[in-house]
Amino acid sequence: MSGAHEGTFEGLRAQLQEAASAFADGPDALEGILLGIVDDVDHAVREPLEIFPVCHHSPASATAMARRLRQKQPKVVYLELCEDMAPLLTELRNCKLPVAVQAFASEVDGFPAEWSPLSVVAPITEASAEYQAIAYALDTPGVELVLVDRSSDHVFQWDARGAHTDGAADPDAPPAEEEAALHGDAVGVEIGDLRPRFAELEEHLLRHGKVRHWSEWWHQYVELPLGDSDHDTYRQVMLLIGSLFRRLAPGDPHRVRVDEDRERYMWTRMREHLAATGTDPEDCLYVCGAFHAASRVAEFGVHGTDTFEISPRSATKWQHGLIPSSHAAIEAQFGLAAGSVSIAATVWAKNLKRTRVQPYRLEGQAGTKKSRARKTAAAPAPVPAPAPSDKLTGFLQQPPVLDRLDEAELLGWSVEIVHAARRNGYLSSTADAIAVFESSILLAGMRDRARPTPYDFQDAAVTCIEKDTVPGRRDVRRLVEIMMGGDRVGQVGYDALPPLARDVHDRLAPLNLKLQQSGVQRALLDIAGRPELERCSDVLWMLRRLMPQQAVRPIMGERKLGERSIQESWDLSLGTHQRALIELGYEGVSIEQVLEQRLRRRAYDRQATAATVLEAVEDATLYLRSRRLADELGTHALEVLAAERSVDGAPEVLRRVRRLLAYYRTSEPVLPSWIESFVKAGYAHYCTLLPTAFTDEDATVRQVAAMLGFLFSMEGLALSLGCDRAQLELAVAQSHPEESSRTALLWAAQVHLGNLSRVDLRARCDELLGNPLAVPSYPRYLSGFLHALGPVPGLTDFVVEAVSNAFARLPDPVLLPWLPTLITTLRSGSELAPLLIREAGRTFPGRLAALDEWVPPWLAQPEPVARPTRSTGAGQGSALLVAHPATCDAVAELLGCEGTWRTTDPGPSGAELLGRHPETARALEVLLTGA
């Protein structure tokens, strides 16, 4: 083989050697690079196992692949794709391209926990060489498809975390649209990543090629020239580009090592397969990126060394599936220019029409027609490969040729963009179409191009149609992208969905909606009229809990503890968020199982607090209606609370415990044992922490108030369960805060416990207002009283009084800076404002006219109580009994008493006892006067 092709590139070598001597200072450096590139091409061409270099999502690569497969008809196709993704490829026929093959792991074993979840995607479009190879191998009898690239597990074993997304978008770029985020933060794995890794080289190519970005350079100088080329020309040019980028790449040790390890891995797998099956290398085709095709590792080729050892996979359990992709998602993940993949799809259709190459498509593929002739027609005999010849010299010297079909296409584009602009509010006309047509040709000439490209046309359309404003939602650049094919979004078919996703679609079938369609659909649930829809409601609420907010959004209806809606309205976009639904299927076989796993994972996390565990208890009761899971998580909440040494989660604990208690008291005959234990433990726990919390600088007033709210509101239940109130009184007595707001909070607690009267509390506040040194700190006391409304709502009238006095007596330099604090305090405590407003409405006059004469009740002087005067007339005594003696007689008879009425002698009025016994008065006089 070596001797047969010894002189293939001798002429090209001689020309490059002369050029290196003429342009370089010395022939060594440049000559070594140029001749090394030719040697790389010659080395790959001589390999017995045919190497087919490709570039990802390249129409020229896809066209050349389809043509070569029909000529060669290989029996084995080796494809550069993660080897563990092979079982999923048969499901591509049930999908609408573009889609991405995904490997997903939610729980990691052998990798850092902060990497979780792990995700690897490999997007596939119809205008890609890998899809042509897959379709040929799966639909051609007797052909075997073998994936030879490293597994998804090795992707994370070999790559550093920060190096996963090669070619990722600029981190400072604006947020991507929804379609551009379909891959999330998954690691992208593609074959044929051809882009210069030498920044100066890319800048040089863009500047001299008079283009704005790499996608445009590739389209102009590689894609279009290779669209009509023969197999040998295409193959040698791609090998030349791959070798050029490889030799001019900077020496990043990590990246170079990963690239070379991938090449060793793939050649090792291919030799293992050849040895196991006995297949002739002449009947095989190796499809890989052009960068890896020009490899010079020792393991290269069927006769390479077998010194590379493949490390075992980690214990991580990987799940595999298909997720929808889009042109925008591919562009965003791999750093391509916006619209480049859509333009590639347009060029692919154009290449098929011009070259009459029959592409391969999977039988049953969505969007394709079934062909019976394809099944019955005999396959053409494979064409033997001719001896390779030097095609590079002719290709590099070939001048560009203007194709008149492009001129007609450009005219059609010009008319179509004017129509699209008019539909979007632009005042465009036929003259604009002519201007766009001529400007496109002019721009192409200025950029030394033989024919205008879609990028030239886009610039010309923006210049001629878009003036100074954009009348609609889309600008002209976006209109051109849509006209060129737009952002096509793929879809995974029902049969290719994981069991969980299919189960969701089946359970939501009574809604009679096409859930796989993109866009938003409105679902109306009349649960009262159709009780079977309650199951659909349960599914939707669980999806609401598990999926992104925009995927399942309630319009009417709510789900609360102890409440059920009789009518609901939902906006559903499951088709748009199909990827999120599919990834749920990697975690379990039903949404109930996934939700239970997530609740357990969150509750038993090392960073979990009592508040988060109580939230899991509430979700288990609300969505799963599982008393078993709620009891288990509630018992764990008790353990977490006992281990806490801070009061950060006290407000959330109070809110959730109150809600759960209210639910269990109305829906259960007895309280669950765990919540009784939780109240007892919480009572003792917060009593212990209370003195420290009052003086802790890290604890906020709201948190201390929440502790008091728990102690005061749960006091009755805690005491009935055996707690001692003396523990609370002792904790309050041991609290000695120094900060003003906490002091006010302590006063409120003392009032609640009866250790401080309201009169004394009012006197303390008056003393503060009367002390010039204490006036600046008085607003902080008021903030403490506001927070005290939660644990001691009985002080609401006093707080209204204190706030009113502050507005009346505080000077403006003290009052005005406090007003924002007052507003934020009331807004942060949503339950405080209604109490204060209700009490103020009861206290203040309801009409504006009455405000001038209104006197606050705490300032009104109490009227003297009128004492009854003793009558001095003859009617002294019980005149009513004398006038009606029958009543007394009846009572006496009832009591069994006998007696007669007698008339008393009317003596002098006054103190009759002193008159009858004067000795007492005289003795008192002697005692007082000392006489």
Side-chain angles (χ1 to χ4, degrees):
M1 180 65 68
S2 171
H5 305 293
E6 185 175 0
T8 303
F9 298 100
E10 288 302 323
L12 182 60
R13 283 191 178 91
Q15 295 183 28
L16 293 178
Q17 191 169 10
E18 294 176 2
S21 301
F23 292 101
D25 206 12
D28 294 338
L30 183 59
E31 181 181 355
I33 295 176
L34 296 179
L35 296 183
I37 292 174
V38 179
D39 291 339
D40 290 341
V41 175
D42 195 14
H43 178 65
V45 169
R46 294 184 181 187
E47 174 59 34
L49 196 159
E50 181 178 339
I51 304 173
F52 195 96
V54 300
C55 174
H56 61 66
H57 310 299
S58 166
S61 295
T63 305
M65 173 63 72
R67 181 191 297 113
R68 184 55 181 165
L69 289 173
R70 295 194 181 278
Q71 293 175 351
K72 183 178 178 65
Q73 296 183 19
K75 298 179 180 179
V76 177
V77 176
Y78 297 113
L79 183 61
E80 181 192 338
L81 198 61
C82 294
E83 58 184 2
D84 55 328
M85 295 181 176
L88 293 172
L89 300 182
T90 57
E91 296 294 340
L92 288 175
R93 64 179 78 251
N94 298 319
C95 303
K96 177 183 176 182
L97 300 180
V99 296
V101 186
Q102 183 184 39
F104 186 90
S106 57
E107 298 181 1
V108 298
D109 187 355
F111 301 104
E114 58 270 16
W115 290 13
S116 178
L118 306 180
S119 180
V120 180
V121 297
I124 296 177
T125 63
E126 187 175 356
S128 61
E130 56 264 38
Y131 175 75
Q132 294 298 308
I134 292 171
Y136 164 78
L138 294 183
D139 282 351
T140 304
V143 175
E144 184 179 4
L145 177 65
V146 182
L147 305 187
V148 294
D149 199 3
R150 55 181 176 168
S151 67
S152 304
D153 197 89
H154 286 92
V155 171
F156 290 91
Q157 286 188 29
W158 293 359
D159 289 2
R161 184 61 174 173
H164 285 330
T165 52
D166 295 341
D170 184 6
D172 298 329
E177 296 182 356
E178 188 174 20
E179 290 78 7
L182 286 178
H183 297 171
D185 57 354
V187 176
V189 176
E190 287 199 7
I191 64 173
D193 181 16
L194 275 186
R195 185 165 185 165
R197 298 182 182 178
F198 189 34
E200 287 78 1
L201 173 61
E202 182 172 349
E203 181 182 356
H204 176 82
L205 294 175
L206 297 183
R207 183 175 67 254
H208 288 275
K210 298 181 180 180
V211 294
R212 293 165 298 175
H213 43 71
W214 174 251
S215 300
E216 186 176 359
W217 186 93
W218 180 268
H219 175 86
Q220 172 64 24
Y221 294 100
V222 180
E223 195 67 46
L224 295 180
L226 288 182
D228 298 328
S229 62
D230 59 86
H231 172 65
D232 288 339
T233 301
Y234 165 83
R235 187 183 177 196
Q236 294 175 20
V237 170
M238 292 296 289
L239 290 171
L240 173 70
I241 297 174
S243 176
L244 173 66
F245 292 168
R246 190 183 188 96
R247 288 183 174 271
L248 295 182
D252 182 359
H254 172 75
R255 189 165 185 176
V256 171
R257 177 172 55 84
V258 170
D259 288 333
E260 293 180 349
D261 283 348
R262 289 182 65 186
E263 294 155 6
R264 296 185 179 100
Y265 193 107
M266 289 187 285
W267 281 108
T268 300
R269 289 300 193 204
M270 285 186 283
R271 284 195 299 272
E272 290 176 354
H273 182 269
L274 291 174
T277 60
T279 306
D280 187 355
E282 294 290 340
D283 296 332
C284 303
L285 186 67
Y286 172 34
V287 182
C288 68
F291 188 89
H292 297 296
S295 174
R296 300 304 292 244
V297 296
E299 290 80 3
F300 181 91
V302 294
H303 302 296
T305 61
D306 290 323
T307 58
F308 182 71
E309 295 183 3
I310 298 177
S311 60
R313 301 182 187 180
S314 69
T316 300
K317 295 182 179 179
W318 290 87
Q319 304 286 337
H320 298 82
L322 297 170
I323 62 173
S325 183
S326 67
H327 292 172
I330 298 172
E331 294 160 356
Q333 186 168 20
F334 297 97
L336 304 178
S340 59
V341 179
S342 299
I343 293 175
T346 303
V347 175
W348 160 251
K350 179 180 176 181
N351 286 350
L352 295 180
K353 183 178 180 180
R354 183 177 62 254
T355 61
R356 300 183 182 276
V357 173
Q358 184 180 0
Y360 287 93
R361 291 188 178 94
L362 290 170
E363 288 294 331
Q365 185 77 60
T368 61
K369 297 180 180 180
K370 296 182 179 180
S371 176
R372 296 183 179 178
R374 181 177 172 184
K375 293 182 179 180
T376 57
V383 177
S389 58
D390 180 11
K391 299 289 186 178
L392 286 178
T393 304
F395 178 84
L396 296 176
Q397 296 176 351
Q398 174 184 352
V401 179
L402 178 63
D403 189 353
R404 297 190 61 82
L405 179 61
D406 289 345
E407 194 172 319
E409 182 184 53
L410 179 61
L411 183 60
W413 285 353
S414 303
V415 174
E416 188 175 351
I417 190 59
V418 168
H419 288 170
R422 291 182 65 87
R423 288 194 300 269
N424 285 269
Y426 290 91
L427 300 177
S428 54
S429 62
T430 305
D432 292 318
I434 299 174
V436 171
F437 178 84
E438 298 294 341
S439 299
S440 300
I441 299 176
L442 178 63
L443 284 175
M446 294 173 60
R447 295 166 177 172
D448 295 332
R449 299 177 182 173
R451 53 190 179 187
T453 67
Y455 301 97
D456 298 325
F457 171 76
Q458 188 178 56
D459 293 340
V462 171
T463 303
C464 299
I465 298 178
E466 188 176 294
K467 304 301 187 289
D468 54 346
T469 59
V470 178
R473 185 167 56 94
R474 300 185 178 99
D475 57 6
V476 174
R477 189 174 301 279
R478 177 59 179 160
L479 293 178
V480 173
E481 293 177 6
I482 295 175
M483 189 190 73
M484 291 293 174
D487 183 21
R488 299 179 185 176
V489 180
Q491 186 181 74
V492 179
Y494 176 85
D495 295 331
L497 291 173
L500 180 143
R502 293 200 300 268
D503 179 61
V504 168
H505 284 278
D506 294 340
R507 294 167 67 177
L508 295 180
L511 299 180
N512 297 322
L513 297 176
K514 297 180 180 179
L515 299 176
Q516 287 189 298
Q517 288 185 354
S518 300
V520 179
Q521 302 181 68
R522 178 62 57 86
L524 303 175
L525 282 70
D526 182 12
I527 301 176
R530 298 178 58 190
E532 67 273 11
L533 293 181
E534 185 175 3
R535 297 182 179 179
C536 297
S537 174
D538 295 339
V539 173
L540 292 176
W541 282 112
M542 284 186 282
L543 292 176
R544 169 73 174 176
R545 175 64 173 76
L546 295 171
M547 295 186 66
Q549 296 298 316
Q550 297 301 321
V552 181
R553 188 165 59 95
I555 304 301
M556 182 181 67
E558 59 183 355
R559 179 63 64 93
K560 292 183 177 180
L561 288 174
E563 299 181 8
R564 289 292 185 270
S565 302
I566 60 174
Q567 287 185 337
E568 293 179 353
S569 176
W570 293 80
D571 276 352
L572 307 180
S573 55
L574 295 179
T576 304
H577 296 83
Q578 194 180 44
R579 170 178 175 265
L581 182 61
I582 292 173
E583 289 186 350
L584 288 181
Y586 299 154
E587 302 182 44
V589 296
S590 67
I591 52 177
E592 287 85 359
Q593 180 186 3
V594 173
L595 181 55
E596 181 174 345
Q597 289 177 353
R598 290 194 179 184
L599 293 178
R600 290 180 185 275
R601 190 181 307 122
R602 184 173 185 182
Y604 288 94
D605 187 81
R606 290 180 297 178
Q607 304 298 327
T609 63
T612 57
V613 180
L614 288 177
E615 182 184 4
V617 174
E618 187 174 343
D619 289 344
T621 306
L622 193 62
Y623 299 110
L624 298 176
R625 303 176 186 177
S626 174
R627 178 65 181 274
R628 170 192 55 80
L629 181 60
D631 290 347
E632 176 188 343
L633 298 180
T635 304
H636 180 64
L638 178 63
E639 301 173 358
V640 174
L641 178 67
E644 288 185 348
R645 293 296 176 263
S646 67
V647 296
D648 296 343
E652 190 70 11
V653 169
L654 173 62
R655 185 171 65 89
R656 295 196 178 277
V657 167
R658 281 177 174 175
R659 195 153 54 199
L660 288 169
L661 269 175
Y663 168 73
Y664 286 126
R665 281 170 173 166
T666 57
S667 61
E668 300 286 344
V670 294
L671 291 177
S673 59
W674 74 265
I675 201 167
E676 293 182 350
S677 301
F678 189 89
V679 171
K680 291 173 58 179
Y683 189 85
H685 179 72
Y686 286 134
C687 281
T688 304
L689 295 180
L690 188 61
T692 305
F694 265 111
T695 58
D696 188 3
E697 296 181 356
D698 295 332
T700 63
V701 180
R702 180 169 176 264
Q703 293 169 354
V704 179
M707 293 177 60
L708 291 174
F710 184 95
L711 294 172
F712 293 162
S713 61
M714 304 293 166
E715 184 178 9
L717 179 58
L719 295 180
S720 67
L721 296 174
C723 294
D724 189 359
R725 194 172 195 264
Q727 189 177 7
L728 174 58
E729 294 177 347
L730 184 61
V732 173
Q734 291 177 344
S735 301
H736 304 287
E738 298 179 358
E739 202 267 333
S740 303
S741 59
R742 305 187 189 199
T743 301
L745 194 59
L746 178 61
W747 291 348
Q750 292 173 346
V751 171
H752 177 78
L753 295 177
N755 299 332
L756 182 66
S757 66
R758 288 200 175 202
V759 176
D760 295 336
L761 182 61
R762 185 176 289 108
R764 292 183 181 182
C765 293
D766 291 339
E767 183 182 355
L768 290 172
L769 284 173
N771 186 355
L773 298 178
V775 166
S777 63
Y778 189 74
R780 292 195 291 272
Y781 285 93
L782 292 179
S783 298
F785 286 131
L786 288 174
H787 284 96
L789 291 178
V792 192
L795 284 180
T796 305
D797 57 340
F798 174 79
V799 175
V800 172
E801 174 186 343
V803 173
S804 301
N805 287 336
F807 276 91
R809 299 175 60 179
L810 286 178
D812 288 347
V814 176
L815 178 64
L816 294 180
W818 174 66
L819 292 181
T821 305
L822 172 64
I823 296 173
T824 55
T825 301
L826 293 176
R827 291 186 63 181
S828 60
S830 57
E831 71 280 357
L832 304 181
L835 291 174
L836 207 60
I837 294 173
R838 190 183 308 114
E839 183 63 27
R842 190 174 61 85
T843 304
F844 291 97
R847 295 181 178 276
L848 183 62
L851 186 61
D852 295 335
E853 301 177 355
W854 176 74
V855 178
W858 53 87
L859 296 180
Q861 295 293 334
E863 298 182 1
V865 179
R867 294 178 178 270
T869 59
R870 186 179 297 272
S871 177
T872 58
Q876 181 184 5
S878 303
L880 188 61
L881 294 179
V882 175
H884 303 280
T887 304
C888 288
D889 293 340
V891 175
E893 183 180 359
L894 181 63
L895 298 176
C897 299
E898 296 181 358
T900 59
W901 290 87
R902 62 179 178 176
T903 302
T904 60
D905 183 14
S909 62
E912 297 181 1
L913 190 62
L914 293 178
R916 294 177 182 180
H917 304 280
E919 294 82 4
T920 305
R922 294 191 186 101
L924 180 62
E925 181 182 3
V926 173
L927 180 65
L928 294 177
T929 59

